[in-house]
Every structure is written in C-alpha cells, then in structure tokens.
Amino acid sequence: MCGIAGVLDADGRVDTVSLAAMGHLLEHRGPDDHGLVVDVLGAATAIAVEDGAAPIGGAHLGLAHRRLSIIDPDAGPQPMANDDGSRYITYNGELYNTAELRTWLRARGHRFRTATDTEVVLRAHEELGVRAVDALEGMFAYAVWDRRRGELVVVRDRVGVKPVYLWSSPSRLAFASEVKAFLALDGWRAAADPLHVVEYLTFQNTFGTRTLFSEVRLLEPGHFVVARIRGDRVVTSEHRYWEITADALPAPDRGRPDARDEGEEVRRTFEAVVGSQLVADV
C-alpha cells in the first residue's frame, strides 16, 4: 500500500521532527521501510535524514515515505533520488507497464539501480517531465521534487484508486495519503466541515474533492498539482491530464461486430490486464 507525505513551505518551516511524525502516522500503510528527505532552497544538496539524527529545521521542502515492499523488496528505499540528486520521488502505487517503460528508457540512455517501479516513474520524469504521467499505466499517487526548477509535482492516478489529500495556506502546501498525517503539522486544526458531515451521514460518503475536514481536500483523479515558491507564498496550479471521453467508443460506421470477435477481444483484454497486475516479488 505505502504511505506518502510532504510539505513545501515558503518560510522554511519544515522540520524533521514534524516530518518524521507525519511518516509515523502512516506507519500502518508501510511497515517495511521508511525515509525522510529535506531540502533548503539554494543548498548544494538535499539531505536524507536517518533515524536518530539531530533535528534539522529551516528547510523549505520535506518528503516522507512509508514502504510496503512488493517489487525488489531489498532495494529501492524512498524518498528515492536520481543519479545527480536533482530529483526526488515519494511514491505509492503499482505500475503495470513497468517492463515496457524500462525498456524504452534504457534505449534512451537511462541506467537503473533497482528493479522497482518507483525508479521507472522517477526516470520517466527525468525524460518527459510532468507529462511522464501520460505514459503510466497503473494505480499510483506520488510526488516528485525537482530541485533545479524548484518545483513540486503531486500526482493522482486516473480513476483515484490511490488517495492524495491536500492542505494549503498562502505560504504552505502539504500532502499525504491520509488526513491524519496533518496532525503532525503546526497550523493545522482538525475542524469538521458541517456540510460534508451531513453529506456523509446521509449518503455514507462524501462527494467531489471536499472531505469531512474544513481545510482538507482530495486531489481529483486524473489530476496533478504543480507547486512553486514565489517570495513568501507557495503558488499552485492544478491540471487535468486524463478524463473519460467518447473517443474510445466504436465509430457509428463500424457496423455491428461479430459477437465471437467481441468475445475473443474481451478475453484477450481481460487476460492481459490481469496478467499485468500479477508482477510481484512477495
């Protein structure tokens, strides 16, 4: 399952104690491994924080990860850096076209250190930038920090299998796999949204992007958020990268296909889809 969390703060108020606490609150999602990375704008490198290390404050960016190891369980600690440390990723998901993308990326000159799908996503971002999401097939939620561009990208899969919750103020953006991670942050108050509490009690669910908490929203399926620090503010923009359209439907002039051909196509598609989801090392 894995758990991801992070903070981008224009005032440099990200501290490793709060960041570690966010990770601990997600421990049930990823009991196998954990990690933290913090970054200060203008610093030569980001800092990977080890357990028991002295607290580090003054960072503008922090990423946390709790890992449930499925593929290459002995490798791939997160947050994961690329070769030169210019990008970091914290990732929750399962990529079904890992093998195809890895082959394509190798042909483009990329060299892999692990067999994880996390590294495939990271290197796809090296190659394609934020539009790497268009090439991914699977269920995923992840964040990539681009140190050179000073840009944080938070992504949710096409139909929203993996959750991403967002909390923001003028100078801060925080994200997490579960709302409870925000309990570790100064400035967040767990206040109920009365309208959505009534909605939940009526329908046993909430709808749209709002949640039971007044200042927390869900990132919509098929969307990503780009966040940058501009002076004393965190500026965000949200983008839709996928939606269901009528383009996938048969054209009216195709005529009625033979039922046997349709059945065979369903069988082939079903077997391919199920087979792609059975890749695991545990």
Side-chain angles (χ1 to χ4, degrees), residues 20-255:
M22 292 182 80
H24 287 311
L25 288 167
L26 300 175
E27 184 175 2
H28 57 285
R29 298 183 66 93
D32 297 329
D33 198 7
H34 62 279
L36 307 174
V37 164
V38 295
D39 200 1
V40 178
L41 293 186
T45 61
I47 303 170
V49 183
E50 301 291 339
D51 271 348
I56 299 172
H60 294 86
L61 179 281
L63 299 176
H65 187 79
R66 298 293 316 197
R67 187 184 186 199
L68 179 66
S69 302
I70 301 297
I71 297 175
D72 200 358
D74 297 326
Q78 294 188 50
M80 181 184 290
N82 63 348
D83 294 332
D84 63 5
S86 62
R87 283 186 176 90
Y88 283 82
I89 187 172
T90 181
Y91 169 84
N92 167 33
E94 188 174 355
L95 195 62
Y96 303 142
N97 61 335
T98 299
E100 296 88 343
L101 280 178
R102 192 188 303 274
T103 298
W104 181 77
L105 288 164
R106 279 178 172 151
R108 306 283 293 181
H110 293 269
R111 297 293 176 263
F112 288 84
R113 304 187 302 266
T114 74
T116 63
D117 51 353
T118 304
E119 189 176 4
V120 171
V121 176
L122 179 60
R123 297 195 181 276
H125 268 262
E126 285 188 286
E127 186 67 31
L128 300 170
V130 69
R131 299 317 309 186
V133 69
D134 296 328
L136 308 181
E137 297 177 8
M139 53 180 181
F140 46 80
Y142 65 87
V144 173
W145 170 239
D146 187 328
R147 300 190 72 240
R148 291 175 180 169
R149 296 172 62 91
E151 181 178 276
L152 178 69
V153 179
V154 185
V155 183
R156 191 176 184 198
D157 62 57
R158 289 170 177 79
V159 295
V161 177
K162 297 298 184 180
V164 181
Y165 293 91
L166 303 172
W167 169 59
S168 61
S169 67
S171 62
R172 175 180 283 195
L173 173 70
F175 68 90
S177 297
E178 297 182 17
V179 177
K180 68 170 65 176
F182 299 145
L183 289 168
L185 298 177
D186 292 336
W188 185 69
R189 185 170 57 93
D193 183 323
L195 176 63
H196 289 85
V197 169
V198 170
E199 184 179 66
Y200 180 80
L201 293 175
T202 303
F203 301 105
Q204 287 77 57
N205 202 352
T206 58
F207 303 98
T209 63
R210 307 311 301 177
T211 70
L212 296 175
F213 300 92
S214 59
E215 296 182 348
V216 177
R217 67 183 180 91
L218 273 166
L219 179 60
E220 286 193 75
H223 283 64
F224 63 83
V225 167
V226 179
R228 304 176 182 88
I229 292 176
R230 294 290 182 265
D232 61 352
R233 301 179 68 87
V234 169
V235 178
T236 64
S237 58
E238 187 165 336
H239 308 266
R240 181 194 296 272
Y241 68 88
W242 182 86
E243 62 181 326
I244 297 174
T245 68
D247 296 342
L249 300 175
D253 59 356
R254 271 187 60 182

